Amino acid sequence: MESYNQKINLENTNISLYIKREDLLHPLISGNKIRKLKYNLQQAKNENKETLLTFGGAFSNHILAVAAAGKEQGFKTIGIIRGEELKDKVLENPTLKKASDLGMVFEFVRREIYKEKSSPEFTRLLTEKFGDFYLIPEGGTNDLAVKGCEEILTETEDKFDYICCAVGTGGTVSGLINCSKDSQQVLGFPVLKGDFLREDICKFVSGTKWDLITAYHFEGYAKVSEELILFINEFYKKYKIPLDPIYTGKMMFGVMDLIDKNYFPENSKVLVIHTGGLQGIAGMNNLLKHKKQLQITIYD
Ligand SMILES: *Cc1c(COP(=O)(O)O)cnc(C)c1O
């Protein structure tokens, strides 16, 4: 699997900007999810597990990634989905429909119960119901996922001064921090509100050459504004690079805004990681259509 660094030609600045197209690694196991699953699937095999079980929301990139990776590598897959009301909506939900076509079995749970998903009691109930499984946490972040994300940067990226990526649970940015050079600064752009991320990341990293830029969450996880959608559509028109509304769109909006505000020193070389997530556009467009709001341009 390989991705490449694509130049983004900016005007009126001496900052050079590149994007690492991890979104091109796989059509279904999007961007960073293929990195996060690699060593987990090896571990599941080492433990002779036949089933993968994980958790996610209605449009989760991680859920689809696990369904697709499981299918490719011969595992049964179970998805514990947040929201009991989604049970009857699988066919109208592009993410769940694809995951189901790939063989994933769903268990839909009420939000109050979903909150307890990490408790030993919930795991025990799941084992009673489904038998033995290899558990992958929500969003896929654990030590082995971070190890996989440490392979995103190679010597090719040594020349960059800044590495930027979107942050959900923090596994990907942790891997980037661990594999970055001393000369590099890693900037994470959280896509949700909250202060817990810094602590979560500290559990996985030792370096201090990183920071979180918390001004671009657009009011929270999976929340979008017309300004964000206009930005994503403009960006696609100009550079022919598709961005997703939940992660990479917000991060890229932030990076462009920081460039405008002269955040980066003169002549900085900046690399942004395209972590994928494009499968989520269809589901978001359904929601936007429902609310009679602007659609995200679908690329071909
Ligand atoms: C899951 C995901 C992220 C967040 O990764 P974390 O390791 O949870 O921080 C970023 N971008 C995309 C496209 C994702 O699907």
Side-chain angles (χ1 to χ4, degrees):
M1 55 187 198
E2 265 185 78
S3 61
Y4 70 98
N5 298 332
Q6 178 174 355
K7 188 169 188 358
I8 299 174
N9 287 309
L10 301 176
E11 286 148 25
N12 307 321
T13 174
N14 51 31
I15 306 296
S16 79
L17 181 64
Y18 284 76
I19 184 164
K20 189 167 175 76
R21 296 293 305 272
E22 296 271 295
D23 57 308
L24 301 174
L25 288 177
H26 193 287
L28 296 172
I29 315 172
S30 102
N32 61 344
K33 300 303 185 279
I34 202 163
R35 305 285 189 179
K36 296 175 85 168
L37 285 171
K38 178 179 169 185
Y39 291 108
N40 274 294
L41 297 195
Q42 276 182 17
Q43 183 63 23
K45 276 184 197 154
N46 291 344
E47 294 177 17
N48 294 314
K49 304 281 186 181
E50 292 174 359
T51 303
L52 308 172
L53 180 143
T54 196
F55 309 86
F59 303 108
S60 167
N61 298 325
H62 170 68
I63 283 289
L64 182 59
V66 171
K71 170 96 179 166
E72 265 181 22
Q73 301 204 19
F75 292 100
K76 290 180 212 151
T77 55
I78 298 164
I80 311 300
I81 308 297
R82 181 182 64 233
E84 212 176 20
E85 75 285 357
L86 292 165
K87 195 184 281 179
D88 309 317
K89 299 198 177 127
V90 172
L91 294 181
E92 323 157 20
N93 178 309
T95 302
L96 297 180
K97 167 78 168 62
K98 272 190 218 132
S100 162
D101 289 346
L102 290 161
M104 183 174 258
V105 171
F106 298 126
E107 173 84 358
F108 295 91
V109 299
R110 296 206 313 272
R111 280 147 218 270
E112 311 89 81
I113 296 175
Y114 188 84
K115 270 191 210 132
E116 304 300 319
K117 62 187 173 305
S118 312
S119 73
E121 173 61 7
F122 193 55
T123 309
R124 194 186 61 74
L125 288 172
L126 289 173
T127 309
E128 225 165 64
K129 179 149 188 178
F130 295 110
D132 190 36
F133 51 75
Y134 183 85
L135 187 146
I136 305 175
E138 182 183 46
T141 289
N142 56 17
D143 288 334
L144 291 175
V146 173
K147 180 176 168 189
C149 291
E150 289 170 6
E151 296 174 355
I152 296 176
L153 297 180
T154 64
E155 310 84 68
T156 317
E157 283 79 33
D158 284 356
K159 60 176 179 284
F160 290 101
D161 305 305
Y162 291 89
I163 313 289
C164 303
C165 84
V167 177
T169 60
T172 306
V173 77
S174 296
L176 289 170
I177 293 164
N178 289 341
C179 70
S180 62
K181 298 276 165 240
D182 288 344
S183 59
Q184 298 176 322
Q185 173 95 8
V186 177
L187 299 178
F189 292 71
V191 300
L192 64 175
K193 285 192 211 173
D195 291 333
F196 53 94
L197 276 167
R198 221 170 271 274
E199 248 171 73
D200 289 355
I201 293 166
C202 282
K203 284 181 212 147
F204 295 112
V205 307
S206 45
T208 54
K209 299 218 62 171
W210 59 279
D211 205 355
L212 294 182
I213 308 285
T214 55
Y216 301 101
H217 55 61
F218 289 80
E219 294 312 309
Y221 187 73
K223 301 256 166 55
V224 298
S225 68
E226 183 164 283
E227 188 187 23
L228 178 66
I229 292 168
L230 283 170
F231 170 81
I232 289 171
N233 289 348
E234 252 332 282
F235 193 86
Y236 179 64
K237 220 156 108 191
K238 209 162 165 186
Y239 304 113
K240 293 286 168 288
I241 299 168
L243 300 171
D244 83 292
I246 309 211
Y247 295 100
T248 55
K250 292 182 180 181
M251 182 264 312
M252 201 68 220
F253 185 103
V255 170
M256 290 304 211
D257 196 43
L258 291 181
I259 291 173
D260 278 348
K261 291 176 171 157
N262 296 320
Y263 172 91
F264 300 104
E266 277 187 34
N267 300 310
S268 294
K269 295 188 184 67
V270 179
L271 179 72
V272 306
I273 309 296
H274 196 316
T275 41
L278 302 173
Q279 69 84 25
I281 295 176
M284 179 61 78
N285 270 344
N286 285 351
L287 286 180
L288 292 168
K289 196 167 162 187
H290 206 73
K291 296 194 230 164
K292 299 198 167 48
Q293 287 172 10
L294 186 67
Q295 295 274 294
I296 301 159
T297 312
I298 297 273
Y299 51 92
D300 26 57

